[in-house]
Amino acid sequence: MLDFSLSGKVALVTGASYGIGFALASAYAEQGATIVFNDINQELVDRGLAAYKDAGITAHGYVCDVTDEEQVNAFVKQVTEEVGHINILVNNAGIIKRIPMCEMTAAEFRQVIDIDLNGPFIMSKAVIPDMIAQGGGKIINICSMMSELGRETVSAYAAAKGGLKMLTKNIASEYGEYNIQCNGIGPGYIATPQTAPLREVQPDGSRHPFDQFIIAKTPAARWGEAGDLAGPAVFLASSASDFVNGHILYVDGGILAYIGKQPQ
Ligand code: NAP
Ligand code: GCO
């Protein structure tokens, strides 16, 4: 029988106080997983704990910066001691900076790469040894349309997410023999705080030009909701996907398949 249950599993979702991470962790809890999440400061962790509680979920929240290897190693050790062995890791924490490349400083470029690419490397490196000892595990990296496409002002983010696609394939290649499946989810344009600037209603009450652009580029003719990612994320975290490895599952309403609607 196909098994999408996550009962008895410990799922760690990074940067999951709100947004996509929160939605994925909530879906995992619905499937029976124990939820662990981190965020960059205590205020966000407390906000997340309250949100999970409101949703009827008893989550375990920790402050941890995914770019700090010492913090991450201590965090993973603490979770393993206090909650249990980590069976599922979702590398969700991420930022974006929308700056024309020639105006972006090297420090700004490095910051995006550090959080969006080095972070998943550090987190994955911290959990893999115990996953091997436990007989396997699931790693899911939150990629992006920008793992495949570029656009103006997001050079650092596209470089990071393109790299994350290949890190996903490399973890799958290097650790598949230990029954670790590493896959990616490539969300399309999802309505979260991260994309709020792209959806701001204009002073004249019209939709943001980018909002209109994405609607025309998406066969589903809508922005995604974080909940649209829940089913694919549960699939990749469950034993139903034990022979899926190194795959980036795009959940984009069809953007990558579509040339875009002709302007009327
Ligand atoms: P979000 O609303 O900005 O949430 C990202 C979370 O990660 C925030 O809680 C953020 O904390 C946290 N974070 C940032 N830096 C961190 C660090 N160094 N250590 C730990 N946590 C950190 O973003 P989202 O829209 O939910 O996106 C989540 C993931 O999906 C990201 O990887 C993003 O690139 C990806 N994604 C988003 C979309 C979309 O359309 N929204 C589409 C494709 C992919 P702060 O509040 O302090 O920033
Ligand atoms: C942007 C958006 C995108 C989305 C997402 C698309 O500025 O183009 O923020 O990057 O966040 O990554 O998949």
Side-chain angles (χ1 to χ4, degrees), residues 45-76:
V45 169
D46 292 343
R47 168 181 162 186
L49 286 170
Y52 285 111
K53 187 177 179 184
D54 288 348
I57 299 168
T58 304
H60 303 263
Y62 298 81
V63 176
C64 179
D65 177 346
V66 297
T67 67
D68 183 322
E69 190 163 26
E70 195 173 325
Q71 268 190 49
V72 167
N73 289 336
F75 166 48
V76 168

Side-chain angles (χ1 to χ4, degrees), residues 33-51:
T34 297
I35 300 307
V36 177
F37 74 100
N38 69 297
D39 225 307
I40 195 72
N41 58 50
Q42 192 61 50
E43 181 186 351
L44 276 171
V45 169
D46 292 343
R47 168 181 162 186
L49 286 170

Side-chain angles (χ1 to χ4, degrees), residues 87 101 132 180 246:
N87 307 106
M101 193 180 105
I132 292 174
I180 291 173

Side-chain angles (χ1 to χ4, degrees), residues 18 20 39-40 65-66 92 142-143 157 161 188 190 192 195:
Y18 60 90
I20 288 173
D39 225 307
I40 195 72
D65 177 346
V66 297
N92 167 77
I142 307 302
C143 297
Y157 184 82
K161 293 299 188 179
I190 311 296
T192 72
T195 55

Side-chain angles (χ1 to χ4, degrees), residues 14-24 37-41 44 47 62-68 71-72 91-96 98 111 114-116 119-120 123 141-147 157 161 164 185-196 198-199 223-224 226 229 251:
T14 66
S17 293
Y18 60 90
I20 288 173
F22 180 85
L24 301 188
F37 74 100
N38 69 297
D39 225 307
I40 195 72
N41 58 50
L44 276 171
R47 168 181 162 186
Y62 298 81
V63 176
C64 179
D65 177 346
V66 297
T67 67
D68 183 322
Q71 268 190 49
V72 167
N91 286 306
N92 167 77
I95 66 167
I96 191 168
R98 300 183 182 97
Q111 186 188 7
D114 206 16
I115 294 168
D116 294 11
M123 284 299 311
N141 294 322
I142 307 302
C143 297
S144 162
M145 295 288 93
M146 275 59 217
S147 296
Y157 184 82
K161 293 299 188 179
L164 186 56
I185 287 177
Y189 280 81
I190 311 296
T192 72
Q194 190 243 51
T195 55
L198 306 175
R199 292 177 280 108
W223 284 71
L229 304 170
V251 186

